[in-house]
Amino acid sequence: MALIVEKYGGTSVGSIERINAVAEKVSRTHAAGNQMVIVVSAMSGETNRLLEMAKEISSDMPAREADVLVSTGEQVTIALLCMALIKNGEKARSYTGGQVRIETDTSHGRARIQNIDDSRIKKDLAKGKIIVVAGFQGVDSEGNITTLGRGGSDTSAVALAAALKADECRIYTDVDGVYTADPRIVPEAHRMDQITFEEMLELSSLGAKVLQIRAVEFAGKYKVPLRVLSSFEDGPGTLISYEVGRKMERAVIAGIAHNADEAKLTITGVPDHPGVAHSILGGIAEKGINVDMIIQNIAADETTDFTFTVPRADYESAKSILAKVSDELGARGVTGDNSIAKVSIVGMGMRSHTGVADLMFATLAEEGINIKMISTSEIKVSVVIDDKYTELAVRALHKAFELDKKLQ
Ligand code: ADP
Ligand code: ASP
Ligand code: MG
């Protein structure tokens, strides 16, 4: 008997019809002799709908109350799915994050899971029950409801799978696996049978929202057997592989990710002395704003220009913090651009191949796309461009790296 954790995303539980279909699917796997823990997201569009209502009241939402609000979406789907399972003759039981006791820190809206109490789930599983858990949510040590960041149900599922030492964690979504690029943008993209954990980690962190980055981190830390599949059709999906060696005939690049949710800020003419980077970024970090790419250049007059990217939602607040810092440091001024996108190529093959970055730059040049920032690591190259060229860049790179030709 295997213990399987399955997660169904928003589109997969987006209507009563879909919830009934998921219940049927779960019943079949249960009937085959497996123990089942199901994690569900809110119905598609629901989390956004709730956030929109809150924004109508205030643009500056109190974070604690925002979590009380958005966590309701998942509470609806756990109840509906359980009802559908019970109608099918199953013994099923729903749990909110707090009822399981998925304990997190108190960072509302981006909480991190610290501990999962598996005792209630284990007792119910032993009685043959199917467990349905609300994704995306937990509680802090004082019982306040927290949420894990957008796309966080993936993380709930992988963390539960790790805590329960599940035999497999299946992420069911609206695509049938991990593709070489977002299939909504690149019709020629193809599903990969396998992707290495390292590549998946990069793709997720660079914008491929098919798996939340925290979910991939958890999976790697606890070596959770993880697969991404479609809830709409049967198929093998994509396995996240922890093997170091891999078939050599693979393409150099595994995939392309894009993120049009960033903004760039520059503080110019900063007198260059030790501690400058800390003075500039200290205030940004204190506000809890994530800084991604950073570039610093020294000019001939011994001043420095300092550029970095932040999530687009934090652009205005980062800009006003920086304006104050600029005055304090006697810098020349602050400029910004909130219509940029980051496009990245990712692949383990980069470790052993040269000329990868150059092919990327040449391809973008041929399309007349200007590169505003570049950053590299061992297995990725990212560029920042005007966001209006995102789709063109992703498609051109997909072709240039021959990702349309299935190699595996
Ligand atoms: P769910 O609601 O099931 O969690 P998401 O919308 O969060 O689903 O994630 C699935 C979506 O991720 C797909 O519909 C697809 O558009 C997008 N996506 C982006 N990059 C990729 C990729 N490389 N492979 C597959 N899907 C991707
Ligand atoms: N409902 C949450 C969201 O829309 C969590 C999730 O779907 O994973 O972000
Ligand atoms: Mg998702």
Side-chain angles (χ1 to χ4, degrees), residues 69-184:
L69 177 71
V70 289
S71 61
T72 60
E74 273 72 11
Q75 191 166 336
V76 170
T77 41
I78 53 169
L80 291 175
L81 179 58
C82 267
M83 288 174 191
L85 286 164
I86 290 165
K87 181 189 69 183
N88 288 356
E90 300 286 357
K91 288 186 275 178
R93 205 146 197 231
S94 68
Y95 285 102
T96 64
Q99 286 174 323
V100 172
R101 205 152 176 97
I102 297 179
E103 199 170 315
T104 71
D105 61 21
T106 310
S107 314
H108 287 290
R110 53 167 159 241
R112 281 181 176 270
I113 296 176
Q114 290 177 328
N115 190 43
I116 294 182
D117 179 353
D118 61 8
S119 53
R120 285 181 85 173
I121 294 184
K122 281 207 164 137
K123 253 188 234 157
D124 280 350
L125 283 175
K127 289 182 196 151
K129 288 184 183 157
I130 296 175
I131 313 303
V132 182
V133 179
F136 181 51
Q137 55 179 262
V139 281
D140 71 4
S141 56
E142 304 199 329
N144 298 299
I145 297 174
T146 56
T147 64
L148 310 179
R150 297 308 302 267
S153 299
D154 297 337
T155 304
S156 309
V158 176
L160 273 165
L164 293 163
K165 299 192 179 58
D167 295 287
E168 192 169 341
C169 180
R170 301 174 179 164
I171 305 290
Y172 283 103
T173 181
D174 55 4
V175 277
D176 64 345
V178 181
Y179 275 63
T180 46
D182 187 342
R184 282 179 212 257

Side-chain angles (χ1 to χ4, degrees), residues 32 69 83 128 188 195 305 369:
L69 177 71
M83 288 174 191
E188 299 78 27
I195 182 167
D305 286 356
I369 300 171

Side-chain angles (χ1 to χ4, degrees), residues 60 78 160 207 246 346 364:
D60 193 16
I78 53 169
L160 273 165
R246 198 180 49 176
V346 171
L364 296 173

